[in-house]
Amino acid sequence: MSIIYNCRHCGHTIGKLEQKVIDASMLGFDQLSKKEKQEMIQYASNGDIQINTICENCEQALGQHPNYHELDFFIQ
């Protein structure tokens, strides 16, 4: 099983963890609200978990262009 972190804006894979057993509290999932979990975490049929987050480049772009926060995707 893998935990794959992808940028929700540009789709870049930020990182990947290979784990047989996952402790959700160690990853901070227990700190997320139900809505945040629904928006950020997706479970694949093969057991992989995809986490939608933001990469450094997109974070920097959001800082320089605050109006981008209104958009779900700003990089095509």
Side-chain angles (χ1 to χ4, degrees):
M1 171 178 17
S2 298
I3 304 168
I4 305 162
Y5 290 84
N6 292 317
C7 180
R8 70 183 200 106
H9 294 289
C10 69
H12 176 75
T13 299
I14 300 165
K16 183 176 181 179
L17 301 172
E18 297 287 341
Q19 297 291 326
K20 294 192 187 281
V21 177
I22 297 171
D23 183 348
S25 65
M26 288 184 65
L27 296 173
F29 295 168
D30 61 327
Q31 301 296 313
L32 299 173
S33 69
K34 185 176 181 177
K35 182 180 178 186
E36 289 170 329
K37 288 178 187 176
Q38 290 174 339
E39 292 174 354
M40 294 179 66
I41 303 172
Q42 298 172 346
Y43 299 91
S45 60
N46 66 353
D48 287 353
I49 300 173
Q50 291 208 352
I51 311 297
N52 295 316
T53 187
I54 186 167
C55 69
E56 290 180 16
N57 292 333
C58 290
E59 181 67 33
Q60 185 178 22
L62 285 167
Q64 293 173 352
H65 305 280
N67 59 312
Y68 286 179
H69 283 279
E70 300 170 6
L71 308 172
D72 287 333
F73 302 96
F74 58 85
I75 297 176
Q76 303 279 331

